Structures are given as C-alpha cells and as structure tokens.
C-alpha cells in the first residue's frame, strides 16, 4: 500500500491508499502546534447557556389547580389576570392544552408566586399521575 496524506487547514488529515484512490482508509484529527484543548469551564458555560435558553416547565396540571385553589382564586380570576378566557384556564388545568406566549409567561409568574405563598400546594400528591407516569418517554 502506498499512502498519501493530505491535511486541511483545520488540521484534519486524510490518509488514502494510492492503489484505491476512491476511498479514504481512515481520517485522523490532529492537534496543531500552539492550539489548545477546549477549556472545561467554557464547556460548563456552554451547558449553562443551553439550559438557560430552554423554556421554563409548567407544573403538572393538577398542581396548577391546587395552587389556584389554595389561594382561593377562581378560574375566572386567573383568566382575567393572565388575559385569557376562563375556558383556557380550565383546559390548562385538565392538561388538554398548554398556555402559549405571552400568556405562558404571565401564567408561570402567577404560579411561581402562588407556589412561594402556598408551598404545600406546590407539590405533586403521591399516586397522582404526572406527565412521566402517564406514559411519557423517559
């Protein structure tokens, strides 16, 4: 076998067989002199940025209803505060639909405030279905 080595400006070396020029035998990634490995702290920052970019997750629908009830609020109270019709809140609490922007942010803010004031209502009951236990993938 007669090998030919070609290198790209990015530092990837391709080794090919001259007897079979149509195929690459293997690819080797090289570290060029003076280059450094990625900083682990930089990777942590990239992970944090990824997580911070994700939307906040709503509590399970029954917990949303528990929070509202703990505060003595009606679905109409929540609907008026968030800017939707009462039927939308009903569907959210039944898990039939989820709030969308800009109502989602307002609903989340309300739920966080209620959870801070009524922490006992912010927890899922034992044995109550959650999205993961209702056949979600995991």
């Amino acid at each position: 076998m007669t090998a030919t080595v070609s290198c790209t400006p990015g530092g990837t070396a391709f080794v090919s067989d001259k007897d079979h020029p149509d195929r690459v035998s293997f690819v080797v990634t090289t570290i060029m002199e003076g280059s450094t490995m990625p900083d682990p702290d930089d990777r942590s920052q990239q992970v944090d940025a990824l997580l911070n970019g994700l939307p906040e997750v709503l509590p399970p629908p029954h917990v949303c209803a528990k929070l509202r009830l703990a505060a003595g609020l009606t679905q109409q109270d929540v609907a008026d505060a968030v800017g939707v019709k009462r039927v939308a809140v009903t569907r959210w609490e039944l898990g039939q639909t989820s709030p969308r922007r800009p109502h989602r942010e307002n609903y989340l803010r309300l739920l966080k405030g209620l959870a801070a004031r009524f922490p006992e209502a912010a927890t899922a009951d034992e044995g109550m279905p959650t999205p993961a236990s209702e056949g979600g993938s995991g």
Side-chain angles (χ1 to χ4, degrees):
M1 171 179 148
T2 306
T4 302
V5 178
S6 57
C7 192
T8 66
T12 301
F14 294 92
V15 180
S16 58
D17 183 350
K18 281 190 178 183
D19 297 332
H20 302 281
D22 58 326
R23 68 178 183 209
V24 174
S25 299
F26 55 91
V27 177
V28 179
T29 302
T30 61
I31 299 175
M32 304 303 286
E33 186 176 327
S35 66
T36 58
M37 295 298 288
D39 182 8
D41 289 334
D42 184 47
R43 294 287 183 211
S44 293
Q45 291 171 356
Q46 289 178 355
V47 168
D48 289 342
L50 239 165
L51 290 172
N52 292 335
L54 294 174
E56 293 191 62
V57 178
L58 288 168
H62 70 278
V63 172
C64 297
K66 277 178 53 179
L67 287 166
R68 176 182 58 77
L69 292 169
L73 300 173
T74 65
Q75 289 179 334
Q76 189 63 54
D77 293 332
V78 173
D80 291 342
V82 175
V84 297
K85 294 182 179 180
R86 185 196 55 78
V87 69
V89 176
T90 301
R91 289 178 179 153
W92 298 343
E93 290 182 356
L94 291 173
Q96 294 174 345
T97 61
S98 294
R100 300 196 190 280
R101 288 185 188 161
H103 309 297
R104 181 182 180 86
E105 288 82 9
N106 292 328
Y107 190 49
L108 267 168
R109 184 169 175 227
L110 174 66
L111 292 172
K112 284 181 181 181
L114 294 175
R117 292 185 185 180
F118 305 98
E120 68 283 354
T123 59
D125 293 332
E126 291 290 322
M128 289 294 291
T130 62
S133 69
E134 290 176 342
S137 62

